[in-house]
């Protein structure tokens, strides 16, 4: 695993934005795997600026997001679809029809999950997957457990994740308790992965990842079995 240590959040954001932009410039029809959360916001901001300055063209790019809260409609301002539109898609020249976020309101979530993985495969697979990391070591919403799902699936969120994510909601009771998430196998199929961690609260999880071991109680550590992972850290 390649490790990039950044001194500031701005540096971390610039690193991610540059990696995405150079892939898009090299392969205009690439498939991006995208994350929500606080960590990638700075990189998305920078990609918006780079696109506006004509340094990168997203018109042929397709994207798949990692996850979505179960029960939230796309127009709910806490949904991950809403987050992506606001923080990235409205700032770049991507065709919104080429962006996919798992549905949180599907009548048949299992079927939707299967079709989501099939759509990624049919698109040729994800070229570059961006990941954040939970304080508990989760990636997407693959929570610590003795067994991890391979494909996209519906999952219960742990207390720790609900608590961590409650900062975005008015009150903790408003945080959905379930989500749809790409599985570990869906993520591991990506050709290249960047996992970013910003802040001392991520240190324990990052330490497991850096140890080189694979421990399902720190789902991010499965990335130690992937050939092309970059861990970008700041303050942890
Ligand atoms: C988001 C996601 C989550 C976050 C993780 C870190 O799509 O899948 O796994 O990446 O919870 O969140 P932040 O960046 O808010 O610390």
């Amino acid at each position: 695993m390649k490790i990039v240590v950044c001194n500031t959040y701005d540096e971390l954001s610039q690193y991610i934005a540059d990696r995405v932009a150079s892939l898009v410039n090299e392969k205009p029809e690439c498939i991006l795997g995208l994350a929500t959360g606080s960590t990638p916001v700075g990189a998305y901001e920078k990609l918006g600026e780079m696109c506006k300055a004509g340094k990168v063209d997203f018109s042929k790019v397709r994207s798949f997001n990692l996850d979505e809260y179960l029960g939230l409609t796309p127009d709910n301002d806490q949904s991950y679809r809403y987050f992506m539109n606001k923080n990235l898609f409205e700032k770049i020249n991507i065709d919104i029809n080429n962006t996919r976020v798992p549905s949180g309101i599907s009548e048949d979530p299992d079927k939707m999950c299967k079709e989501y993985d099939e759509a990624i495969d049919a698109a040729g697979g994800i070229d570059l997957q961006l990941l954040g990391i939970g304080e508990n070591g989760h990636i997407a919403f693959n929570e610590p457990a003795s067994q991890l799902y391979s494909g996209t699936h519906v999952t219960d969120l742990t207390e720790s994740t609900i608590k961590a994510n409650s900062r975005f909601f008015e009150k903790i009771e408003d945080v959905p308790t379930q989500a749809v998430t790409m599985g570990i196998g869906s993520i591991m199929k990506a050709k290249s992965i960047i996992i970013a961690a910003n802040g001392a609260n991520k240190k324990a999880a990052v330490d497991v990842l850096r140890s080189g071991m694979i421990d399902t109680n720190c789902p991010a550590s499965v990335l130690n079995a992937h050939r092309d992972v970059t861990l970008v850290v700041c303050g942890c």
Side-chain angles (χ1 to χ4, degrees):
M1 181 177 329
K2 180 179 165 191
I3 301 180
V4 176
V5 180
C6 300
N7 293 317
T8 61
Y9 175 67
D10 191 66
E11 221 179 275
L12 174 140
S13 301
Q14 193 66 59
Y15 176 84
I16 299 170
D18 287 345
R19 282 279 306 268
V20 172
S22 68
L23 171 68
V24 174
N25 287 334
E26 205 176 285
K27 187 177 177 187
E29 295 180 359
C30 67
I31 311 293
L32 297 177
L34 300 173
T36 61
S38 315
T39 311
V41 169
Y44 293 162
E45 183 76 42
K46 287 183 188 293
L47 286 168
E49 287 160 13
M50 289 160 98
C51 186
K52 209 169 163 197
K55 291 182 183 157
V56 57
D57 173 8
F58 288 88
S59 59
K60 293 185 181 139
V61 170
R62 280 178 289 167
S63 70
F64 289 88
N65 259 78
L66 286 169
D67 40 21
E68 178 61 281
Y69 286 119
L70 205 70
L72 297 195
T73 54
D75 60 350
N76 184 310
D77 62 5
Q78 296 296 347
S79 76
Y80 284 173
R81 162 53 81 179
Y82 188 95
F83 174 100
M84 288 309 299
N85 288 352
K86 189 165 155 287
N87 286 286
L88 183 64
F89 301 149
E90 286 168 9
K91 296 182 175 168
I92 59 175
N93 66 334
I94 198 165
D95 178 348
I96 200 76
N97 297 312
N98 287 342
T99 68
R100 297 273 304 255
V101 178
S103 170
I105 50 163
S106 169
E107 281 178 8
D108 187 344
D110 291 341
K111 184 163 169 268
M112 187 275 299
C113 289
K114 195 168 163 279
E115 288 172 355
Y116 199 73
D117 282 328
E118 287 167 356
I120 296 173
D121 287 345
I126 289 169
D127 290 296
L128 177 62
Q129 176 68 59
L130 302 186
L131 295 174
I133 182 169
E135 285 176 32
N136 63 2
H138 74 207
I139 45 173
F141 278 131
N142 294 278
E143 300 282 30
S146 56
Q147 291 174 315
L148 300 174
Y149 278 84
S150 180
T152 298
H153 60 284
V154 173
T155 187
D156 293 333
L157 304 184
T158 60
E159 282 302 317
S160 133
T161 296
I162 291 171
K163 197 167 160 233
N165 289 7
S166 66
R167 69 190 193 278
F168 300 112
F169 291 79
E170 242 172 61
K171 48 186 192 306
I172 196 162
E173 293 75 27
D174 293 343
V175 186
T177 54
Q178 287 190 302
V180 184
T181 180
M182 273 167 62
I184 293 293
S186 326
I187 294 169
M188 290 289 276
K189 279 192 204 167
K191 291 163 198 146
S192 190
I193 296 176
I194 297 176
I195 179 161
N198 178 47
N201 58 331
K202 303 293 174 71
K203 189 177 183 319
V206 167
D207 282 348
V208 182
L209 179 55
R210 291 177 90 152
S211 74
M213 301 295 287
I214 293 176
D215 178 351
T216 60
N217 284 306
C218 177
S221 69
V222 300
L223 299 179
N224 281 310
H226 193 281
R227 277 174 196 279
D228 184 358
V229 177
T230 306
L231 167 66
V232 199
V233 294
C234 173
C236 56

